[in-house]
Amino acid sequence: MRFTYAEAMTDISYYAPLAQAAEQVGYHGMTVPDSVAYPEESDAVYPYTPDGDRGFLEDKDFIETFIQCAALGAVTSTLRFLPFVLKLPIRPPALVAKQASSVAALTNNRLSLGVGTSPWPEDYDIMGVDFKRRGKRMDECMDVIRGLTSPGYFEFHGEFYDIPKIKMSPTPTQPIPLLVGGHADLALKRAVIRGDGWMHGGGPAEELDALLDKINAIRKAEGKENDPFEIHVISMDAYTVDGCKRLEDKGITDVIVGFRVPYIRGDDTEPLQQKIQNMTWYAENVIAKVNG
């Protein structure tokens, strides 16, 4: 099993030493958050808090996702970076392909691209993108990124994007995994049909089991049950050795672990050294015993 360290909405000077510490003690990857702007007013709700409150995001620092991946890649040598998740349909897919290829080339293929839709119409408004049919737009974005991050010429003619035969250089020497986030049925199907895996947003154990059952059913229906497929989950089971074994038995390939609740208003007051102590304790008491 692989282990990914999660930290977000903290002091931006912490990210480099946290990435270095995570690599040193045995984590496989580190998540990188994505947020473009915070709207003063919005009717949308945040999908991963119990009451949909989004106020904890106000005044939090978010470094642009690909810039953060590149910066952390420069101070590490083995740690993998996973945007969790990039709000894909608000962005031009050709630009995303160039950014992703560049990061992958600079980091020796240490990028897995977690992608999803944004729940906030304001994200689409400020980027000049129509909020409607964002799911179909995301499908096309994924196809474009897959094509343009592969060697050789690629062209695409869809409903939203029309790209003549072009190629980008450099392209990664290994394919960039596309991991789809989201719990809706369409997101699960998109992960199986267009993606290389799925990223779980958290929730009760019974909900995760139901989602895994749906994914397995879709994979079987699409004739993909034997294809490689990454499943990245957030689960309380990940915090014990026996729990990790249970997750492995369910087909989980990667767990995402963090050591504080990020959904709080105001600054993160946890010191850097405490964060490093938390991740180190987990590495010694869980990672080493699961993979030892």
Side-chain angles (χ1 to χ4, degrees):
M1 176 169 281
R2 296 176 301 221
F3 295 84
T4 299
Y5 173 66
E7 182 62 272
M9 295 175 283
T10 191
D11 187 322
I12 61 174
S13 70
Y14 289 0
Y15 286 119
L18 286 172
Q20 291 171 320
E23 178 175 86
Q24 182 177 2
V25 300
Y27 291 81
H28 177 260
M30 181 173 178
T31 62
V32 178
D34 178 47
S35 181
V36 175
Y38 185 86
E40 183 177 15
E41 296 181 2
S42 177
D43 293 330
V45 298
Y46 191 77
Y48 300 116
T49 53
D51 58 0
D53 179 50
R54 64 186 181 91
F56 68 93
L57 290 164
E58 188 170 11
D59 297 324
K60 296 292 173 49
D61 291 335
F62 287 89
I63 302 299
E64 196 281 325
T65 304
F66 288 109
I67 290 176
Q68 184 167 329
C69 288
L72 298 183
V75 297
T76 55
S77 57
T78 61
L79 195 68
R80 194 168 190 86
F81 301 101
L82 295 90
F84 184 45
V85 292
L86 190 77
K87 298 173 180 178
L88 184 56
I90 70 172
R91 292 169 161 86
L95 177 59
V96 172
K98 185 63 178 179
Q99 292 170 312
S101 289
S102 298
V103 170
L106 287 170
T107 62
N108 192 26
N109 301 301
R110 289 187 286 131
L111 176 71
S112 293
L113 193 55
V115 295
T117 59
S118 171
W120 294 7
E122 293 81 8
D123 278 337
Y124 296 83
D125 292 342
I126 62 175
M127 298 296 287
V129 176
D130 190 356
F131 183 66
K132 298 176 181 177
R133 305 207 65 207
R134 57 198 176 278
K136 173 61 176 174
R137 185 183 294 273
M138 176 148 166
D139 290 341
E140 291 194 13
C141 285
M142 291 182 68
D143 291 346
V144 169
I145 292 167
R146 181 88 69 187
L148 289 178
T149 56
S150 301
Y153 286 95
F154 172 79
E155 63 181 311
F156 185 85
H157 307 287
E159 178 180 347
F160 300 102
Y161 304 102
D162 194 77
I163 298 173
K165 189 173 289 187
I166 60 171
K167 65 179 176 180
M168 292 183 172
S169 184
T171 52
T173 57
Q174 298 174 9
I176 298 174
L178 295 179
L179 310 173
V180 177
H183 293 187
D185 289 350
L186 288 175
L188 304 181
K189 191 169 185 179
R190 182 175 293 118
V192 171
I193 294 174
R194 280 188 164 78
D196 301 293
W198 174 66
M199 299 191 82
H200 173 231
E206 58 272 16
E207 180 182 299
L208 173 59
D209 288 343
L211 292 168
L212 293 174
D213 288 343
K214 288 182 178 181
I215 288 173
N216 290 333
I218 296 168
R219 292 180 69 193
K220 184 174 181 179
E222 296 292 331
K224 293 176 174 286
E225 64 267 36
N226 295 319
D227 292 353
F229 191 78
E230 297 181 22
I231 301 179
H232 298 243
V233 306
I234 299 170
S235 170
M236 291 305 296
D237 267 347
Y239 292 89
T240 66
V241 174
D242 288 344
C244 285
K245 298 294 187 183
R246 287 194 294 271
L247 292 172
E248 277 191 304
D249 290 342
K250 295 177 182 181
I252 306 306
T253 60
D254 300 76
V255 293
I256 300 169
V257 293
F259 305 102
R260 71 179 182 91
V261 177
Y263 306 125
I264 58 170
R265 292 176 182 260
D267 295 337
D268 173 18
T269 59
E270 184 177 58
L272 173 62
Q273 193 55 43
Q274 183 62 54
K275 294 180 184 297
I276 293 175
Q277 288 176 5
N278 291 340
M279 73 157 71
T280 301
W281 181 92
Y282 181 87
E284 293 173 348
N285 290 277
V286 180
I287 297 178
K289 293 179 180 178
V290 171
N291 292 337

